[in-house]
Amino acid sequence: MNKEEFKKEWQHFLVDIGKVEKEVAEDVGQFQQNLNKKINSGSIKYIELSDIVEKYGYSIKIHKQE
């Protein structure tokens, strides 16, 4: 997955949970600008992303590509 694909997935996630990025950032104790920078650069850590999505009932799973 490249940065553009990741950003699209992130936008889909936000739509699914019915929140904007600012609300998610506040929910996890971050500034929106910092979270946005991590998302746009693709530099967010796996554990950090996992913690965020789990707050909303989602999970991240590593699986072998077919």
Side-chain angles (χ1 to χ4, degrees):
M1 177 179 293
N2 63 38
K3 286 189 271 187
E4 293 304 315
E5 291 170 332
F6 176 68
K7 290 191 311 190
K8 285 181 185 177
E9 288 291 325
W10 177 252
Q11 291 302 318
H12 288 272
F13 168 70
L14 294 175
V15 169
D16 285 349
I17 64 170
K19 292 196 176 248
V20 295
E21 195 168 76
K22 182 179 180 180
E23 293 170 310
V24 172
E26 289 172 356
D27 289 348
V28 298
Q30 292 190 36
F31 290 110
Q32 188 267 337
Q33 295 88 344
N34 292 341
L35 181 58
N36 183 269
K37 182 178 177 182
K38 291 175 187 178
I39 296 299
N40 287 331
S41 68
S43 65
I44 191 165
K45 294 179 182 176
Y46 179 89
I47 298 296
E48 184 178 1
L49 181 61
S50 182
D51 288 345
I52 291 170
V53 301
E54 286 176 3
K55 286 185 177 285
Y56 302 100
Y58 287 75
S59 66
I60 299 173
K61 181 179 179 183
I62 297 174
H63 66 279
K64 186 175 180 174
Q65 293 181 354
E66 296 179 17

